[in-house]
Amino acid sequence: MKEKHNISRNIIIALGMVILIAFKYILHHKCFFVMDDLWYGTNLVTGKPLQSFSDIIQSQIWHFFNWGGRNITHGILQLTLMNGEIFANILNIIMALVLALMICIVSGYKNPLAFMLSSSLIIALNPNIQNSMFWQSGTVNYVYSTAWILLFLWVYLRETTETTVKKLPLIPAWIIPLGVITGWSNENMGPASFVISIAVILYLWKFLKCTPPVWMYLGAVSSFLGSALVILAPGNFVRTAEIPETSFLITVSERFLSMLRAGADYLFPSVAFMLVAIFIYVTILKKKLKPFHWLLLAHALLSYGAMALSPHYPDRATFGTMCVCITLALSLLKEITQQTHEYKKYLNLLTLSVWSYAVYTLILIINSL
Amino acid sequence: MSFTKKSNNLFLSLFMLAISAGLLGFAFLGYHDAQIAQGAGLYISIQCNASDRKMYDILMDCIGILLLLFSTLLPPLLLKKFTSASLLRFICLFLAFIPMINPGSLVHIFSQFSHCELRTLGTLNSLLYGFDAFSSLLLLELPLLLLLLAISPKGKLFYQKVLFVLSLVSCLLYFLFPSFGEYTMFFSHYFILILIYDKTESLFKEWSKPQWPIFSLYLLCALKGIYRIILLLQTTHI
């Protein structure tokens, strides 16, 4: 009887995911390459359409010295643009699913319902779906990068559980490029990930009284290098020189307003969702947050706080922080639902509610285009 | 010191009341600026052939204050949860979640209700916008309510079911009659919010420590409300 119930539930979840993916694809199909995509679709040095990988390398070298430090994401962007709309649409769908999967893996909540919930939450709690998930430049900068950032975080955070975890194969080899691209992704998530890697090393050393493995140091150093590259790229200074100078008071008031807008408006749904999960876990169930939870919370705070140094904090830039909040909420919901059967029933309804909102939002945007 | 337990500390109670008054005052400031910018008082003064709009602006401001006080003080009073902390919590939720009603639409309230026409459902657009009130609940209020229902004490009281039904009826009215839009949107959120408030307050009676998640959540709601009012002031302040 239970097995029959599980099979029918999984069929409903599969159907829900098919509907969600279908609407995502339709929206991707309707969103053409626009704005920055058109510029990045060319060799930034010669102005001619991209023809080969060498055009991308040449463009990114110029980009590093003249426009900004996000070479990894913009290099991948140029790769997707070079291969056309259909290729980009399919890859974007795959990466969105990978991102939802990474949220499930990092949170430890690995089942079909959690996957549907995370896929829906990424859309439902998103302050600007179009610019962060359906505009090609935004998709690569935020969806793609958050997927590998979560992979980097997972590799470290899994070591903070007190039970011994299985060693990942050949990790000393691939942690270095992963660390570099994590740090080199964007200006808030990259450095925040580096800080978390250091925090994990210190935690293992000071609290678990064990020697952190060599690969941890390699990952931390490589993410630091990546972060340094993304922040200290000469192109960043060329761009900031173009921004008119304002007085200290105006700068402080503008930064205060942009941080208030980001925290209280753009991130409100995801942070509220996360705080309710924390309230249930900590206050109702009287459980203590684990180091893993604290580290995710710290990452969300750091990635948010780092933007105080930026002159602009657009809504799409909260995407990574939002995903970290969702990850933390899901990891708590996993443990909450293990308490009683009642929670599982309400979680099914909650998933349905969020999924409905996500589908409604996608239909609304498709209809408006 | 406790944000959740009934406070015996007079100073803390007064402090919370002062914050509540401050938040309501700030909300009223936003209303006042919107009212002046939209010319609600001016419209009435023209209808009454008056030469000076000031008295009518004051009239609209008084209506605004009364509506604001009524909608924020009544639920804690009726639910017998009228403490300084409880009131502050409701005000934070109210400012964060409740959709705003344009002061300008208040002057046309009677004509809006007398000229009610059914929504024409010929296009996908009209169908989608008809679901706006219900869908806006699907994002946060309903998920929060579902989580609270999972953990709250068993037995749903009659008035709680009534509140839920009233919210759904408001959504239905929003779907059927677009001219009632602002009011039905307001009430659909308002009834659900009272339900959420009732559930959370009964939870705090049983579980109140540690306080930091609750405090953070309400602080976030207060900041959201403050930001919404700042946004309104940026566009309407003359």
Side-chain angles (χ1 to χ4, degrees):
Chain A
M1 181 74 179
K2 200 177 176 185
E3 218 176 281
K4 221 178 176 178
H5 171 75
N6 280 340
I7 291 169
S8 53
R9 201 175 77 140
N10 287 340
I11 290 170
I12 293 169
I13 290 169
L15 203 66
M17 283 307 301
V18 165
I19 293 169
L20 197 63
I21 292 168
F23 281 118
K24 274 185 180 177
Y25 188 81
I26 293 168
L27 186 49
H28 272 301
H29 181 71
K30 284 200 152 205
C31 292
F32 304 117
F33 294 154
V34 289
M35 301 191 298
D36 295 27
D37 301 338
L38 303 174
W39 183 52
Y40 281 104
T42 64
N43 182 321
L44 303 181
V45 178
T46 63
K48 292 187 180 145
L50 291 169
Q51 301 284 337
S52 64
F53 195 69
S54 57
D55 281 340
I56 296 173
I57 300 292
Q58 189 183 21
S59 300
Q60 291 309 315
I61 292 170
W62 178 90
H63 194 279
F64 185 78
F65 288 103
N66 296 283
W67 200 244
R70 291 192 189 183
N71 299 102
I72 298 293
T73 50
H74 288 117
I76 294 172
L77 170 64
Q78 289 194 293
L79 210 59
T80 61
L81 293 169
M82 195 169 70
N83 286 282
E85 297 261 9
I86 296 173
F87 173 84
N89 292 345
I90 294 169
L91 193 61
N92 293 344
I93 297 279
I94 292 170
M95 286 310 295
L97 293 173
V98 167
L99 175 61
L101 186 65
M102 280 316 307
I103 289 173
C104 292
I105 290 171
V106 178
S107 66
Y109 202 0
K110 293 177 266 192
N111 68 36
L113 185 75
F115 182 68
M116 183 162 155
L117 182 57
S118 74
S119 302
S120 307
L121 283 170
I122 292 168
I123 297 169
L125 302 181
N126 199 327
N128 189 337
I129 301 164
Q130 274 186 280
N131 282 358
S132 61
M133 293 183 78
F134 296 94
W135 172 43
Q136 193 58 27
S137 298
T139 312
V140 177
N141 268 285
Y142 300 109
V143 175
Y144 289 39
S145 66
T146 308
W148 69 65
I149 287 168
L150 285 176
L151 177 61
F152 180 82
L153 286 175
W154 174 67
V155 162
Y156 280 83
L157 293 175
R158 67 197 286 271
E159 300 288 333
T160 61
T161 56
E162 280 158 23
T163 53
T164 36
V165 289
K166 217 167 96 173
K167 262 188 183 164
L168 294 166
L170 301 170
I171 189 167
W174 53 262
I175 193 66
I176 296 170
L178 180 62
V180 169
I181 64 171
T182 296
W184 208 346
S185 54
N186 50 53
E187 295 83 356
N188 61 331
M189 293 290 284
S193 304
F194 159 69
V195 171
I196 296 304
S197 66
I198 296 294
V200 170
I201 291 169
L202 288 171
Y203 174 74
L204 289 181
W205 184 51
K206 274 232 134 211
F207 293 95
L208 295 186
K209 307 276 185 216
C210 62
T211 316
V214 173
W215 64 260
M216 279 199 172
Y217 294 102
L218 292 173
V221 168
S222 56
S223 66
F224 175 76
L225 284 170
S227 302
L229 285 167
V230 82
I231 290 169
L232 300 175
N236 291 334
F237 300 101
V238 170
R239 280 181 83 174
T240 50
E242 291 174 7
I243 299 170
E245 267 187 51
T246 53
S247 71
F248 176 73
L249 263 169
I250 291 175
T251 304
V252 166
S253 65
E254 280 176 356
R255 297 282 170 100
F256 171 78
L257 269 174
S258 79
M259 293 301 285
L260 179 66
R261 182 170 48 240
D265 191 19
Y266 304 152
L267 286 168
F268 178 78
S270 44
V271 176
F273 189 70
M274 178 187 74
L275 284 173
V276 171
I278 292 174
F279 162 64
I280 297 171
Y281 189 82
V282 169
T283 308
I284 309 285
L285 300 178
K286 298 288 181 215
K287 286 174 160 281
K288 279 200 164 133
L289 288 178
K290 297 179 182 136
F292 164 85
H293 300 131
W294 285 113
L295 288 165
L296 276 175
L297 192 58
H299 191 283
L301 282 167
L302 282 168
S303 59
Y304 165 72
M307 294 302 288
L309 302 170
S310 169
H312 305 290
Y313 197 171
D315 41 20
R316 59 184 183 269
T318 59
F319 185 86
T321 309
M322 176 196 77
C323 289
V324 173
C325 292
I326 292 171
T327 309
L328 177 53
L330 249 64
S331 75
L332 295 171
L333 284 174
K334 178 201 169 193
E335 295 195 42
I336 289 167
T337 52
Q338 280 169 355
Q339 298 302 304
T340 63
H341 183 71
E342 275 299 297
Y343 288 120
K344 281 194 181 137
K345 188 175 78 180
Y346 284 101
L347 188 68
N348 291 338
L349 290 170
L350 188 150
T351 307
L352 178 65
S353 175
V354 174
W355 175 88
S356 304
Y357 184 80
V359 170
Y360 171 81
T361 306
L362 290 173
I363 296 172
L364 208 63
I365 300 171
I366 290 167
N367 191 55
S368 69
L369 292 174
Chain B
M1 288 228 233
S2 170
F3 182 62
T4 50
K5 280 282 185 206
K6 188 176 174 181
S7 181
N8 293 320
N9 189 324
L10 180 66
F11 175 75
L12 187 61
S13 299
L14 288 172
F15 181 68
M16 287 186 191
L17 279 172
I19 297 178
S20 301
L23 287 172
L24 286 178
F26 197 51
F28 170 69
L29 185 64
Y31 167 85
H32 166 76
D33 272 19
Q35 184 275 112
I36 298 289
Q38 289 173 7
L42 175 65
Y43 176 78
I44 299 175
S45 69
I46 292 170
Q47 296 297 305
C48 298
N49 292 317
S51 54
D52 186 13
R53 67 181 278 186
K54 223 178 194 170
M55 287 308 298
Y56 299 93
D57 283 332
I58 294 170
L59 172 68
M60 285 306 298
D61 283 346
C62 290
I63 292 170
I65 292 173
L66 285 171
L67 288 173
L68 187 62
L69 289 173
F70 187 77
S71 46
T72 50
L73 299 181
L74 198 66
L77 265 168
L78 289 177
L79 295 170
K80 295 176 188 163
K81 294 169 177 30
F82 200 78
T83 62
S84 54
S86 184
L87 176 65
L88 177 58
R89 286 193 290 272
F90 184 75
I91 290 171
C92 291
L93 290 176
F94 183 88
L95 293 179
F97 286 100
I98 294 295
M100 292 185 197
I101 291 181
N102 277 312
S105 72
L106 286 173
V107 298
H108 299 293
I109 190 168
F110 295 115
S111 63
Q112 280 175 321
F113 280 94
S114 61
H115 291 103
C116 59
E117 287 167 3
L118 274 174
R119 185 183 295 274
T120 48
L121 298 173
T123 61
L124 178 62
N125 229 21
S126 59
L127 190 68
L128 286 172
Y129 286 111
F131 280 115
D132 214 13
F134 184 65
S135 68
S136 60
L137 295 177
L138 292 173
L139 172 60
L140 262 188
E141 281 101 320
L142 273 177
L144 292 184
L145 186 63
L146 287 166
L147 284 172
L148 293 170
L149 284 170
I151 55 175
S152 59
K154 293 296 160 210
K156 290 146 189 75
L157 301 164
F158 176 70
Y159 72 88
Q160 292 172 344
K161 292 176 189 171
V162 167
L163 284 168
F164 186 72
V165 167
L166 283 173
S167 178
L168 290 180
V169 166
S170 302
C171 293
L172 182 64
L173 287 172
Y174 182 93
F175 180 82
L176 293 171
F177 303 107
S179 59
F180 300 167
E182 275 183 294
Y183 305 100
T184 47
M185 180 71 93
F186 173 87
F187 283 111
S188 65
H189 284 264
Y190 189 60
F191 293 128
I192 285 281
L193 196 73
I194 297 173
L195 191 48
I196 290 172
Y197 169 70
D198 188 45
K199 286 280 175 205
T200 50
E201 293 302 306
S202 47
L203 283 171
F204 295 153
K205 270 190 185 162
E206 251 187 273
W207 298 290
S208 61
K209 283 188 162 64
Q211 291 180 59
W212 70 265
I214 307 162
F215 182 77
S216 307
L217 185 59
Y218 284 96
L219 178 63
L220 180 69
C221 289
L223 288 172
K224 166 83 173 172
I226 289 168
Y227 173 71
R228 291 174 76 196
I229 298 165
I230 290 174
L231 208 62
L232 181 65
L233 288 170
Q234 279 182 334
T235 50
T236 60
H237 191 72
I238 301 166

